Amino acid sequence: MTIAAPAHKRILLKLSGEALMGDDSFGINRATIVRMVEEIADVTRLGVQVAVVIGGGNIFRGVAGGSVGMDRATADYMGMLATVMNALALADAMDKQGLTARVMSAIAIEQVVEPYVRPKALQYLEEGKVVVFAAGTGNPFFTTDTAAALRGAEIGAEVVLKATKVDGVYTADPHKDPTATRYTKLSFDEAMSRNLGIMDATAFALCRDQKLPVRVFSIIKHGALRRVVMGEDEGTLVYA
């Protein structure tokens, strides 16, 4: 029997910090992170090279009240540290699942994780390791969506997979409007003109300029990541 080859050989998976919370109000839900790692392990066994950019909203949410009135740059640096914590938790869960993970940070914390160096990241991917990019771009005022677009372009990813709790982009909020329908695909220009809010404007513009497609899908759905990697109709594809 012939086994179908993956449609993508190298992917950049964008995980929000909130995706790690499960049903908790903040923090990391261990069962949730283990399930996500199992999905990632499944696609690596297909020979797909996987890099991950992770947000920090789940941890930063727990201290957000104290950040009111704080200087924006300071708050953003706190958020970067939260992404490092999430990256370490994700890498630990991967190691326990038999994956080899390397965390690379955009800010220097060499006693904890290694700094981001593009050639080293490419080497790790070629060796079959999962690379987890932490600390966003290393700059305040830029989101982890922008970091995903930037790292995806730098490593030559074929697609940025934006993992959410919703299985794609809809014409309206599917939780509020039962008539809302899912877009199978749409262009960057269409998404911007309709103000769909898929990613922040900087990230979206970078993906469009680099002709780096984005697929929005639900990380909650079992097997969804594998179906996306195999090129099946899952989520919403945004293309240049």
Side-chain angles (χ1 to χ4, degrees), residues 26-207:
F26 63 88
I28 298 170
N29 183 288
R30 189 66 185 178
T32 298
I33 199 172
V34 168
R35 184 186 57 75
M36 288 183 184
V37 167
E38 289 173 349
E39 301 268 333
I40 294 171
D42 184 40
V43 300
T44 62
R45 287 191 287 269
L46 298 172
V48 178
Q49 298 175 10
V50 181
V52 181
V53 167
I54 193 162
N58 58 319
I59 293 175
F60 194 67
R61 182 177 297 185
V63 297
S67 69
V68 175
M70 183 182 294
D71 178 80
R72 168 64 189 276
T74 300
D76 281 358
Y77 281 120
M78 291 173 64
M80 290 179 211
L81 294 175
T83 72
V84 175
M85 296 168 67
N86 279 340
L88 289 170
L90 187 63
D92 177 75
M94 288 179 179
D95 289 340
K96 287 179 169 57
Q97 289 289 328
L99 291 174
T100 303
R102 292 289 183 269
V103 179
M104 307 188 85
S105 172
I107 57 176
I109 321 176
E110 294 187 31
Q111 293 90 338
V112 182
V113 294
E114 62 183 290
Y116 168 66
V117 179
R118 179 176 175 269
K120 194 71 174 177
L122 292 172
Q123 177 186 328
Y124 287 150
L125 290 170
E126 293 288 350
E127 292 171 351
K129 298 178 174 68
V130 178
V131 181
V132 185
F133 296 120
T137 66
N139 303 287
F141 308 107
F142 291 92
T143 69
T144 49
D145 276 351
T146 299
L150 177 62
R151 296 291 181 249
E154 286 181 309
I155 67 170
E158 297 168 27
V159 64
V160 171
L161 304 181
K162 185 173 172 64
T164 69
K165 293 184 177 182
V166 182
D167 64 338
V169 181
Y170 281 75
T171 54
D173 187 340
H175 296 115
K176 299 177 181 178
D177 184 353
T179 65
T181 56
R182 175 176 64 90
Y183 292 105
T184 302
K185 60 181 180 179
L186 68 165
S187 70
F188 283 107
D189 290 338
E190 288 173 328
M192 293 177 78
S193 66
R194 295 172 189 176
N195 196 29
L196 295 175
I198 297 170
M199 302 173 90
D200 73 78
T202 303
F204 219 59
L206 179 55
C207 288

